[in-house]
Amino acid sequence: MKPEHSENQLADALTDEPVIFMGCTTTEILTLVVINIGIASVVGILVAIASLAISSSLAIILGSGLFFGGAFGLTMFALGRLQSIKEQHGDHYYKEWIHLVMSELGFADKVLNESARYSRGRSL
């Protein structure tokens, strides 16, 4: 009787990062959160500055509301979008796309390749 899982399948499954929310991994979620907090903070500050002419309390309410609500809303939208893209194109679509763009621009050799010092078979 042949076993269901081979050692190779088990090793490959252990190296993959687990999906925790909306089909996304922890790294993807944290990346989207950081990006969207940056976007929401810029928009919140601009709206707060623009609404200072009306009232300072309105500026605080609008600025903080856009910051917190915008960061949450943008993150949920981006997670949903990323989930649908991952369902259509596979798990590593963006990673492969970034590698392709970087190689076309000529940055791939400098950024993506390992250093000769750390590659296998070579001494330090």
Side-chain angles (χ1 to χ4, degrees):
M1 185 174 227
K2 188 176 180 181
E4 266 185 51
H5 300 286
S6 70
E7 291 178 8
N8 291 336
Q9 289 174 335
L10 182 61
D12 287 343
L14 289 175
T15 57
D16 290 338
E17 192 174 2
V19 172
I20 61 168
F21 183 67
M22 291 182 68
C24 298
T25 62
T26 305
T27 306
E28 293 166 342
I29 292 171
L30 290 177
T31 303
L32 289 175
V33 166
V34 168
I35 290 170
N36 291 327
I37 283 176
I39 293 170
S41 64
V42 169
V43 171
I45 289 171
L46 291 176
V47 168
I49 290 171
S51 60
L52 269 175
I54 300 170
S55 168
S56 61
S57 60
L58 180 66
I60 292 172
I61 291 171
L62 285 178
S64 62
L66 277 175
F67 171 70
F68 291 113
F72 181 75
L74 280 173
T75 301
M76 293 306 293
F77 174 76
L79 285 174
R81 186 76 183 113
L82 183 60
Q83 180 184 20
S84 68
I85 287 172
K86 286 174 75 172
E87 287 173 356
Q88 294 171 2
H89 297 288
D91 287 340
H92 304 290
Y93 174 72
Y94 277 123
K95 185 189 236 182
E96 293 169 359
W97 180 77
I98 289 171
H99 285 208
L100 179 67
V101 169
M102 288 177 71
S103 65
E104 287 177 356
L105 294 175
F107 296 124
D109 294 336
K110 298 172 188 165
V111 177
L112 301 176
N113 292 341
E114 293 180 358
S115 164
R117 179 177 175 177
Y118 298 108
S119 58
R120 279 191 173 166
R122 295 190 180 188
S123 62
L124 296 173

